[in-house]
């Protein structure tokens, strides 16, 4: 049984940085894509960034150049480095995994973490 556990969220001022972590247990990253999603109050869950099992990455336009997705295969951990944070980045952030390539639809992902709150104050 695959489990994902996020950590690293918190309160930060606009312009600040946070690094989210997602520890995976139960299997390795091989043949699986990993994604970060976020959901703000009253909004749908949206794709933020993804990394494929061959390490290709993809970002939505609003975070490209500010966020970096990476993983440590030895630690079986996924990361999201978030720099130059803006109040509109405030949301609960989730990591998720699926077999195959990176896609942006949340329904395509099979396993989810519990989420970690990120709040950016202006």
């Amino acid at each position: 049984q695959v489990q994902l556990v996020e950590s690293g969220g918190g309160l930060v001022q606009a312009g600040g940085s946070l690094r989210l972590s997602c520890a995976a247990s139960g299997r390795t990253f091989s043949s699986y894509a990993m994604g970060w999603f976020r959901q703000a109050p009253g909004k749908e869950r949206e794709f933020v960034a993804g990394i494929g099992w061959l390490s290709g990455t993809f970002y939505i336009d609003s975070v490209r150049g500010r966020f970096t997705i990476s993983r440590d295969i030895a630690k079986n951990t996924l990361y999201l480095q978030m720099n130059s944070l803006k109040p509109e980045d405030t949301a609960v952030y989730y990591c998720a995994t699926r077999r195959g390539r990176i896609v942006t639809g949340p329904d395509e992902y099979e396993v989810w973490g519990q989420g970690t709150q990120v709040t950016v104050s202006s």
Side-chain angles (χ1 to χ4, degrees), residues 14-122:
S17 298
L18 283 174
R19 187 176 80 156
L20 305 183
S21 299
C22 172
S25 62
R27 63 159 168 78
T28 66
F29 290 125
S30 179
S31 300
Y32 286 79
M34 301 289 296
W36 284 100
F37 290 77
R38 64 188 179 187
Q39 188 165 19
K43 295 188 177 181
E44 294 185 351
R45 191 168 298 188
E46 69 167 348
F47 175 88
V48 175
I51 185 166
W53 69 281
L54 292 177
S55 300
T57 58
F58 182 76
Y59 302 88
I60 58 173
D61 289 345
S62 61
V63 308
R64 189 174 292 116
R66 299 189 298 124
F67 290 11
T68 302
I69 188 171
S70 64
R71 65 188 178 197
D72 185 327
I73 293 175
K75 295 182 179 179
N76 227 21
T77 301
L78 177 74
Y79 301 101
L80 185 67
Q81 177 67 44
M82 305 187 294
N83 299 328
S84 302
L85 282 161
K86 304 176 181 180
E88 51 264 42
D89 295 318
T90 295
V92 177
Y93 282 71
Y94 300 88
C95 64
T97 183
R98 70 181 302 273
R99 180 181 290 272
R101 62 185 178 89
I102 303 169
V103 295
T104 60
D107 291 345
E108 302 291 334
Y109 285 74
E110 300 148 357
V111 181
W112 292 82
Q114 82 289 352
T116 185
Q117 176 70 47
V118 171
T119 303
V120 184
S121 63
S122 57

